[in-house]
Each structure stands twice: as C-alpha cells, then as structure tokens.
C-alpha cells in the first residue's frame, strides 16, 4: 500500500479522500489557492502546499505546480478527485512521467473515453448498445441537418468534448436546427475549446442510469451495480439513488454486463462510471438502454453505491493504485437496502437558482445521515468554485424510508444567510410521483412550481417567532404553553418583523420550527426576524382590533387614506387584489389612522400589517 498521497482538489471531495487515507494510515498532502487558505481540506491534511491564485486556472488547473508540490512534499501519489484535472490525460501522463503514482485509469483509457464520439465508436466496436445517432467527422450545418432528419426529431446536439451538462441542445423540428446548432457550437468552443458535435436521437421518457465499474492492474473488472440519476435540472444531477427504482434482475444483469464489457474494451483500471440513457416509457427494459458516455474518475454520487454495497470506493482506488487486486470478486458483491444522495447547493431556488455566495454565518448540517462536506460554519462560499455545500446521503432498508430520511435531513439543514436548495430537495424527496418511483429527467422541470418553496414565512413560523420574542416578563406568564388555551376574547398578538414586513400574530411555539437567536428555521428554509422597534408590541384585543391585516396574500391596489387622517367606522381604507378578486378593508370603528404601511402596488403576505387605526377617545 502506498504511504502518502497528494490530493489535487478541494472542498468536499478532498475531505472525503483524506478521511479514507487517514483510516489507512496514509499521509495526506492538500493543495490550496488564495481563497482556500483556511479551507477545511487544508486543515485536515497532514501537509498543505499553496499553489496559486483563487481562479482555478491559477491553481487547481495548474498541473505543473501540483506535480511540483507532490515532489517537494514527498508525496508518492496524486489523487485528482473529480472535476479539475481528473479527466485530463496529459496531466495523468505528466504525473506518471514525474515518477508519481496516478490514482486513476491509464491515460490511454481516459483518452479513449474522453471525447463522446470516439467513445461511442469504440463501444459500437465492442458490441455495447449506443444511443442511435451521427458521429461523423463532416461537420457542416447542411450535413448535420441532413443527419438529424435521417435520425428523426427530436434530436440532441452534443459537443463531443462536453461535460457537466454543457454544450447540449435539444432540437424538436428542422426549422430551429441551424440556430440551435450555432449556439451549441458557440458554447462548446468557449467551454471546451472544441466545437465539434455529434447528433443523437433524443430519447423520450429518458432516465439516466449509470453503472459503477472498477478495474485493477491484473485484468479484473467488476461492477458495483447501478445508480439512477434521473433527477436533474438542466442536465445536472440533483438527487441520485441506488439501486434504480423498477430495475428487475434480468435488466440489471444486462446493463451491468454491458458496463463491464465497455470497461474491458479500454482495459480499464480504477473507478469509472458508464452512463446510459434509458427509454423508460414502458419501464426499464434491457433493449431500451443505451451507452451515453464514460466518466473516467470517481463520481460525485459514489456514496450511494458505497451505502448499498458497504464498500469504500476511495479505499478501492488506493489499493488498486498500489498494485493490489480488487478487494472483492463479482460474486462477493451484493445490494443491501436503498440509498439516496441530495446535493445541497448554495443557491436560491426562488430566484432562478442563482448561486448564493457569502459567509456561512450559521451552518448546521443534519444528523442521522452521512454528510460529505468541505466547509464548516464561518467558511465562505466564494464565486470561484462549485457552490456545493454538502452531500446528504440517506440509507434505509427500503426506498420509501430512504426518501423520507433524505427529506428529513434536508429539512434539518440550517444555513444562513447563504441561501440553499434544502427546501427544494425536501419537496422533491416528498413528492408523490418521486416516492412512487415515477421519475425521468424531466421531473424537476415539470414540477418546478411545486418544488420551489415560497419565500414568505408560513404562519407557523411567524407564530413561533412571536412566541420567542415575547418579553421575558410576559414569557413567564406564557411559560410552557402546554396548558394554555387561546381565548379569543382576550387574544394577544405580537408584532414580528421579517425582512421589512411586519406581522401581527398570535404567539404559538411549534415543534417543527427551530428558533435560534433571531433566526427561524423550518423545512430547510431560514428567516431572520426582529421584534418591532416600539416596546408596545404585545397588544390586547382592543388595540389589535384596530390593526388592519391582509386577510390573504395579494397586492395593494388602492390606499384611500393618509396617516393621521380621521376616519369613520365602515369607511373604505385599503383595497387589495387577491386571487383576482378585489377586497376592501374598512375602518372597524371611528378613529384616526396611526401607522400606515400599505403602499400602492405592494405585494403582501397573509397577516401582514397594513395599517393601524387608533380608536377615538
Ligand atoms: P458527476 O457526473 O460526477 O455527477 P457532475 O454532474 O456533478 O459530475 O458535475 C460535472 C462536473 O463538475 C464533474 O466533472 C465534476 O467534477 C464537477 N464538479 C461538480 N461539483 C464539484 C465540486 N464540488 N468541486 C469540484 N468540481 C465539481
Ligand atoms: P455530460 O458529459 O454533460 O454529463 P451526457 O452525455 O452524460 O453529458 O448527458 C447529460 C444528460 O443529458 C443526461 O444525464 C441526460 O439527462 C441528458 N441526455 C443525454 N443524452 C440524451 C439523449 N440522447 N436523450 C435524452 N436525454 C439525454
Ligand atoms: Mg454525463
């Protein structure tokens, strides 16, 4: 077994590799950029070497500096993780030429599988079923359009050098072909420096099924079963699971055998993944699953395979790179239970999934599931790197239990002020069709409005916050709350302010809502709240009757009074438009308009304070 390893990566995967290396008593060396000086992967390693600026091309893509760091720190081997240089055959070669061990497949294998067209041609030769399409060298638009028509629409144009869901365009009719081809080529040129494309039949009801394979330097290749990564947004995986729902034994045997054949065709050594696309319009069938591409590295979603097989794939990588044979034979591997991984991203689903950067002032990750992360509370999510905060990996005996566990884990992820997709992950894991295993790659797009959470705090959050901010004297009177019964006649309401909106609500603690300092967490979402500025925020029934609250979410379309104006009982004060209906709020008694919060055009949530009417003395 090798005795030291340099990890040419950062974040979650660097920490993941360090964890196994530690257990095997292998010395670890991290590399880091300016932005990562204090990063977790730097602190966890035995040694760390600074390799350059924050931009990836100044550091994590600087193969020369990484090799230098390995040599100067006395590391024996380089583990590339995923992304960055992991599928770069030239770098793999330079590592070997420098006398170091490359923890990955031979450069020839990376090369053979690196371009999608060459890989598919190779698979056709090896008798592996591939997605029907055009792989030719002739690349002019006329020829490509002709080929697309021959294949039959819809088709998918793919950059041969593509990856990470980039450089792909679905084309539904000949009329839009040229334009989409142009934009695909443009993206391919700028992202991969290569604008060649291939054309594939676009598979309808598509499911992404992939098989984990492993080879050693003694000519053995095994598979570790399949994963289903159909839950994608814009061709990027969001939730992955193993095994695949609805996969029967015969189909599994066929697709896993095809994957082993594919790996053997390139004399594969180390961890790899064969990705297939399945036409699942009538369930998973062996004759409707086609090779899509091979990823010649460890995959982001490898933990679900580890969870169902009980194996540590990084340990397998380290053993194979040390020249040992595979730890287990095919007949010693079996599936146990079900595993699901949710990728927790620093992004805002309610704002078009834009990355959310900044300091992780509050970071609590769930317990009871495996959590792979590269950050701790206080760390910074920067614009330089992938915005993944953590992977939540739930295992359970059955699929339904694993989904419930993943949903619960997402719900108890507490992050602030950086926004995350936790509530979105939770909603997906709880969705009826997902729980039934009725998934395909269009699932998220189809259900987007149901999955994207409302940003406004729900009533139970408002009430729990109100209960939390009762002044200590009053809190005593409300103590325990258990025997407490709301008496509508003497109902007490508390003003709470959530991002600029004031709500007047009954205080009521909730078992779901977690309150910490001035933060309310519920279902994977977080809200900051403040008590109102005045100290008269606990209001008895008489006063609260004068509070004009929005009866439902809507928009203010008319403000008919001004602050300080004298009003008569029944006078029309504010007009709201809600659910396409107009609703007028009137003065409950004779008095004057105190605070006036309503402004024309303002969107309001249910319970929002619009105006306060002071009763005539
Ligand atoms: P995979 O096919 O392994 O699931 P992804 O779809 O997650 O890969 O991402 C596409 C590419 O982006 C991968 O090559 C991966 O290496 C890279 N990537 C994704 N997340 C990260 C991360 N947290 N750090 C570095 N690279 C990442
Ligand atoms: P990348 O290298 O970016 O991962 P892939 O070829 O693996 O590119 O495709 C990424 C995703 O695009 C797949 O997981 C799938 O959702 C979708 N996809 C790819 N090929 C097809 C196809 N022929 N028909 C339908 N969907 C496809
Ligand atoms: Mg892929």
């Amino acid at each position: 077994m090798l005795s030291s390893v340099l990890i040419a990566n950062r974040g979650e995967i660097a920490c993941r590799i360090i964890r196994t290396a530690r257990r095997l008593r292998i010395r670890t060396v991290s590399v880091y950029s300016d932005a990562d000086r204090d990063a977790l992967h730097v602190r966890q390693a035995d040694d760390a070497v600074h390799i350059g600026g924050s931009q990836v091309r100044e550091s994590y893509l600087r193969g020369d500096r990484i090799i230098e760091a390995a040599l100067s720190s006395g590391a024996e081997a380089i583990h590339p993780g995923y992304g960055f240089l992991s599928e770069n055959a030239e770098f793999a070669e330079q590592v070997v030429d420098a006398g170091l061990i490359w923890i990955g497949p031979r450069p020839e294998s990376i090369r053979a599988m690196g371009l999608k067209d060459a890989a598919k041609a190779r698979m056709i030769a090896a008798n592996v079923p591939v997605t029907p399409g055009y792989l030719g060298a002739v690349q002019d638009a006329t020829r490509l359009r002709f080929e697309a028509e021959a294949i039959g629409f819809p088709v998918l144009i793919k950059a041969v050098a593509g990856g990470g869901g980039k450089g792909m365009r679905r084309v539904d009719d000949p009329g839009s072909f040229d334009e989409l081809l142009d934009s695909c080529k443009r993206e391919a040129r700028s992202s991969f420096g290569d604008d060649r494309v291939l054309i594939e039949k676009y598979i309808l009801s598509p499911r992404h099924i992939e098989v984990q394979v492993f080879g050693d330097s003694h000519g053995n290749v095994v598979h570790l079963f399949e994963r289903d990564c159909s839950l994608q947004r814009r061709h990027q995986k969001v939730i992955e699971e193993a095994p695949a729902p609805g996969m029967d034994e015969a189909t599994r045997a066929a697709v896993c055998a095809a994957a082993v054949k594919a790996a053997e065709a390139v004399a594969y050594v180390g961890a790899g993944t064969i990705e297939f696309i399945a036409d699942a319009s009538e369930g998973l069938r062996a004759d409707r699953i086609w090779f899509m591409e091979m990823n010649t590295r460890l995959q982001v979603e490898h933990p679900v395979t580890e969870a169902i097989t009980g194996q540590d794939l990084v340990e397998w990588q380290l053993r194979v790179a040390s020249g040992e044979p595979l730890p287990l034979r095919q007949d010693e591997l079996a599936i146990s239970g079900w595993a699901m991984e949710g990728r927790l991203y620093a992004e805002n689903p309610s704002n078009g999934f834009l990355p959310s950067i900044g300091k992780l002032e509050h970071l609590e990750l769930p317990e009871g599931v495996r959590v792979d992360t590269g950050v701790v509370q206080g760390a910074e999510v920067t614009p330089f790197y992938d915005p993944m905060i953590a992977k939540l990996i739930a295992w359970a005996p059955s699929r339904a239990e694993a989904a419930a566990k993943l949903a619960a884990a997402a719900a108890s992820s507490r992050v602030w002020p950086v926004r995350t997709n936790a509530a979105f992950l939770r909603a997906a894991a709880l969705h009826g069709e997902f729980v039934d295993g009725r998934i395909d790659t269009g699932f998220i797009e189809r259900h987007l409005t149901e999955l994207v959470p409302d940003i406004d705090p729900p009533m139970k959050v408002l009430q729990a916050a109100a209960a939390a901010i009762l002044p200590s004297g009053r809190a005593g009177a409300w103590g325990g709350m258990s025997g407490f019964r709301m008496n509508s006649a003497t109902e007490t309401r508390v003003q709470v302010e959530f991002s600029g909106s004031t709500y007047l609500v009954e205080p009521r603690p909730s078992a779901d809502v977690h309150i910490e300092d001035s933060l309310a967490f519920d279902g994977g979402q977080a809200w900051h709240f403040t008590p109102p500025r005045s100290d008269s925020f606990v209001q008895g029934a008489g006063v609260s009757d004068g509070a004009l609250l929005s009866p439902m979410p809507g928009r203010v379309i008319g403000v008919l009074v001004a602050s300080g104006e004298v009003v008569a009982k029944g006078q029309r004060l504010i007009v709201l438009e809600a659910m396409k209906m107009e609703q007028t709020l009137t003065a409950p008694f004779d008095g004057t308009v105190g605070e006036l919060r309503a402004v024309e055009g303002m969107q309001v949530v249910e319970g929002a304070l619009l105006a306060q009417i002071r009763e005539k003395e």
Side-chain angles (χ1 to χ4, degrees), residues 168-186:
M168 274 193 282
R169 295 292 184 278
R170 174 182 166 162
V171 190
D172 289 311
D173 54 81
S176 51
F177 186 85
D178 288 13
E179 193 187 324
L180 289 164
L181 174 66
D182 273 354
S183 84
C184 186
K185 280 185 170 280
R186 246 193 328 273

Side-chain angles (χ1 to χ4, degrees), residues 121-467:
R122 189 106 180 206
M123 291 303 108
I124 293 169
N127 257 330
V128 174
V130 308
T131 330
Y134 171 73
L135 305 172
V138 183
Q139 290 277 315
D140 64 86
T142 315
R143 174 63 184 273
L144 291 170
R145 192 174 350 94
F146 171 81
E147 294 292 346
E149 273 167 38
I151 294 163
F153 290 93
V155 298
L156 194 61
I157 309 175
K158 272 189 194 178
V160 301
K166 277 205 180 136
M168 274 193 282
R169 295 292 184 278
R170 174 182 166 162
V171 190
D172 289 311
D173 54 81
S176 51
F177 186 85
D178 288 13
E179 193 187 324
L180 289 164
L181 174 66
D182 273 354
S183 84
C184 186
K185 280 185 170 280
R186 246 193 328 273
E187 184 172 305
R189 210 176 305 125
S190 71
S191 302
F192 314 110
D194 182 342
D195 71 357
R196 285 173 299 157
V197 297
L198 59 82
I199 299 179
E200 265 177 18
K201 175 100 198 135
Y202 188 88
I203 306 301
L204 296 170
S205 303
R207 271 175 67 182
H208 176 118
I209 304 287
E210 58 181 39
V211 177
Q212 176 71 56
V213 292
F214 234 104
D216 65 20
S217 54
H218 306 276
N220 306 303
V221 177
V222 298
H223 69 80
L224 289 94
F225 311 102
E226 81 282 1
R227 295 183 284 256
D228 188 312
C229 310
S230 298
L231 246 73
Q232 305 182 349
R233 202 180 69 81
R234 307 211 166 152
H235 305 302
Q236 301 237 43
K237 301 161 185 171
V238 176
I239 294 180
E240 303 104 335
E241 60 182 299
M247 178 77 90
D248 63 60
E249 277 310 324
T251 308
R252 171 172 296 129
V255 67
C256 291
V260 169
K261 199 155 69 176
E264 283 171 345
V266 291
Y268 201 77
V269 176
T273 295
I274 313 288
E275 294 190 335
F276 296 90
I277 191 89
D279 166 357
S281 52
E282 295 173 272
L284 292 176
R285 293 174 32 171
D287 59 349
R288 294 195 191 167
I289 301 182
W290 300 277
F291 172 89
M292 195 160 54
E293 66 161 346
M294 179 170 195
N295 292 326
T296 53
R297 55 175 159 87
L298 192 67
Q299 203 98 342
V300 176
E301 57 274 22
H302 76 277
V304 293
T305 298
E306 297 186 323
I308 61 158
T309 59
Q311 301 303 307
D312 178 334
L313 296 187
V314 174
E315 176 175 348
W316 280 46
Q317 286 187 299
L318 295 166
R319 292 198 180 284
V320 164
S322 307
E324 294 181 22
L326 291 174
L328 294 177
R329 291 190 316 263
Q330 190 68 63
D331 60 7
E332 294 172 313
L333 286 158
I335 297 176
S336 163
W338 214 286
M340 283 186 192
E341 172 182 285
R343 299 188 188 191
L344 184 68
Y345 279 107
E347 65 185 13
N348 189 350
S350 310
N351 186 18
F353 292 88
L354 281 182
S356 174
I357 57 172
K359 190 170 175 184
L360 295 161
E361 306 273 3
H362 188 102
L363 175 71
E364 258 179 285
L365 294 171
E367 282 167 16
V369 294
R370 170 174 166 184
V371 175
D372 281 16
T373 185
V375 290
V376 289
Q377 182 163 297
E380 195 95 26
V381 178
T382 71
F384 303 112
Y385 314 114
D386 189 279
M388 192 161 75
I389 296 175
K391 303 186 298 200
L392 313 178
I393 305 111
W395 179 92
S398 72
R399 185 170 185 274
E401 292 163 285
K405 221 166 159 177
L406 177 62
S412 56
S413 300
R414 298 172 187 149
V415 188
W416 181 267
V418 167
R419 304 282 172 171
T420 76
N421 64 340
F424 172 79
L425 288 176
R426 171 175 181 264
L430 289 176
H431 195 283
E433 283 182 28
F434 176 77
V435 173
D436 288 348
R438 284 187 284 140
I439 50 173
D440 61 61
T441 61
F443 179 91
I444 286 181
E445 204 55 53
R446 251 193 331 274
H447 298 292
L448 204 59
T449 48
E450 299 157 71
L451 302 178
V452 172
D454 201 338
I455 49 167
D456 297 322
M459 191 48 81
K460 66 174 175 182
V461 168
L462 296 172
Q463 293 178 327

Side-chain angles (χ1 to χ4, degrees), residues 379-593:
E380 195 95 26
V381 178
T382 71
F384 303 112
Y385 314 114
D386 189 279
M388 192 161 75
I389 296 175
K391 303 186 298 200
L392 313 178
I393 305 111
W395 179 92
S398 72
R399 185 170 185 274
E401 292 163 285
K405 221 166 159 177
L406 177 62
S412 56
S413 300
R414 298 172 187 149
V415 188
W416 181 267
V418 167
R419 304 282 172 171
T420 76
N421 64 340
F424 172 79
L425 288 176
R426 171 175 181 264
L430 289 176
H431 195 283
E433 283 182 28
F434 176 77
V435 173
D436 288 348
R438 284 187 284 140
I439 50 173
D440 61 61
T441 61
F443 179 91
I444 286 181
E445 204 55 53
R446 251 193 331 274
H447 298 292
L448 204 59
T449 48
E450 299 157 71
L451 302 178
V452 172
D454 201 338
I455 49 167
D456 297 322
M459 191 48 81
K460 66 174 175 182
V461 168
L462 296 172
Q463 293 178 327
I469 61 173
L470 274 180
S472 47
R474 296 289 291 224
W478 295 69
M481 294 302 279
S482 45
F484 182 76
R485 268 184 66 232
M486 277 292 173
N487 174 342
S488 58
T490 61
E491 175 183 296
T492 297
R493 289 176 170 188
V494 173
Q495 278 190 29
V496 207
E497 203 170 305
F498 276 83
S499 43
S501 299
T502 302
Y503 305 84
L504 198 56
V505 291
E506 292 168 25
R508 184 172 299 187
S510 156
D512 302 344
V513 183
H514 179 84
I515 303 278
E516 204 168 316
D517 298 324
S518 285
L519 286 173
F521 298 97
D522 178 48
Q525 282 180 288
W527 296 271
H528 182 77
F529 63 91
T530 41
R533 287 165 291 268
S534 74
D535 56 10
S536 61
F537 59 82
V538 179
Q539 306 186 350
V543 190
S544 77
D545 276 353
L548 292 189
L549 306 180
S550 171
M552 56 177 107
R555 200 165 65 93
V556 176
I557 58 167
V559 181
L560 312 176
V561 284
S563 181
E565 202 173 310
V566 175
V567 293
K569 182 173 178 192
Q571 185 179 335
R572 298 169 74 234
L573 305 179
I574 291 167
V575 188
L576 277 176
E577 184 189 63
M579 318 194 116
K580 301 259 180 282
M581 274 167 25
E582 275 189 26
Q583 188 155 359
T584 306
L585 305 184
T586 56
F589 37 66
D590 294 348
T592 48
V593 180

